[in-house]
Amino acid sequence: MTLRQVGGAVGIALLGSLVAGTYAARLDTTGLPCPGPAADAAGESLSGAHALAERLGLPALARSADAAYVDGMAQVRVVCAIAALVTALPVAVYLPDHRPARRAGAADEDMAGAEADAGQ
């Protein structure tokens, strides 16, 4: 239970960092009147970028923030898909088979019974 909780927390932190890093890297802050502080405010969060864009009348900043966030989420989706596949492979190989064993002639008997029922 502890391992699952720690793994979940670390996974969320890593994926959140990936989104935040991608968002900050792809956010286009050209056209801001004071690029330093305004760009930092816009780069902190999507809602901050939207508030700044509304206050300064820069719809291009809002569109850029939306696109940067979607790009970050797309990267997270790819990373999660790869992690799921990498995890599924060993599970498929090493998971024990718990299906009950069938007798060798059981399939033949089942087929003969089905044919007899269909003929009636």
Side-chain angles (χ1 to χ4, degrees):
M1 183 68 148
T2 302
L3 182 62
R4 188 178 79 192
Q5 289 178 348
V6 169
V10 170
I12 289 169
L14 292 175
L15 294 175
S17 294
L18 179 60
V19 170
T22 302
Y23 172 77
R26 298 203 177 156
L27 180 65
D28 182 15
T29 56
T30 57
L32 290 174
C34 50
D40 290 344
E44 287 295 318
S45 69
L46 180 62
S47 60
H50 275 272
L52 186 63
E54 185 177 329
R55 190 175 319 124
L56 298 177
L58 297 171
L61 177 61
R63 285 192 302 272
S64 174
D66 290 341
Y69 180 76
V70 169
D71 288 346
M73 291 304 290
Q75 282 193 346
V76 165
R77 187 177 65 214
V78 169
V79 168
C80 287
I82 291 169
L85 288 174
V86 167
T87 303
L89 293 174
V91 167
V93 170
Y94 295 111
L95 190 67
D97 187 7
H98 291 293
R99 290 179 288 178
R102 295 190 63 166
R103 298 189 325 261
D108 295 334
E109 291 172 10
D110 290 343
M111 185 61 101
E115 288 174 0
D117 290 340
Q120 292 179 353

